[in-house]
Amino acid sequence: MNEYNSKQLRRTRKGRIIAGVCSGVGEYVGIDANLIRIGLGITTLFGGLGVGVYAIAWLLMPEEGKDTSIVQDLVEKQQQKSQGSSSPWGGDEHKPQP
């Protein structure tokens, strides 16, 4: 199956209320996004789990049109930052002279 023909779980812009998580999941699963919103609302009322699930999904699901999620972007940025400077001061001018 071609990569362009496969379904991908993404936060959508169309039908978005907060971050597009419910509309993206609804589109991926093939059900109405309002049913997912109701389910998350119920789980939020009974224990607060819905807010955590929504927040985790928001961080892990890439937005429509992007290939990486918020967490992936932050990890890559941190890796680039740590690879860019070998010393905590960023340059060689602060190293002690022998």
Side-chain angles (χ1 to χ4, degrees):
M1 188 174 221
N2 193 341
E3 133 181 31
Y4 298 108
N5 294 336
S6 66
K7 274 202 283 189
Q8 296 179 341
L9 183 59
R10 301 271 191 244
R11 293 185 293 122
T12 61
R13 293 186 185 110
K14 181 186 73 177
R16 172 183 286 192
I17 291 181
I18 297 176
V21 171
C22 293
S23 58
V25 171
E27 192 172 293
Y28 182 77
V29 177
I31 61 173
D32 188 18
N34 290 325
L35 294 173
I36 296 170
R37 291 181 183 113
I38 290 169
L40 279 174
I42 290 171
T43 58
T44 298
L45 290 174
F46 296 106
L49 185 63
V51 174
V53 168
Y54 191 91
I56 291 170
W58 171 65
L59 291 171
L60 295 178
M61 286 174 60
E63 189 171 3
E64 192 174 45
K66 290 187 174 182
D67 290 330
T68 59
S69 69
I70 294 171
V71 172
Q72 288 172 320
D73 290 339
L74 289 173
V75 168
E76 287 174 6
K77 189 181 288 186
Q78 187 65 29
Q79 286 176 345
Q80 289 174 355
K81 189 187 242 185
S82 67
Q83 290 173 357
S85 63
S86 59
S87 74
W89 298 283
D92 292 339
E93 66 273 358
H94 295 292
K95 285 186 178 179
Q97 299 295 325

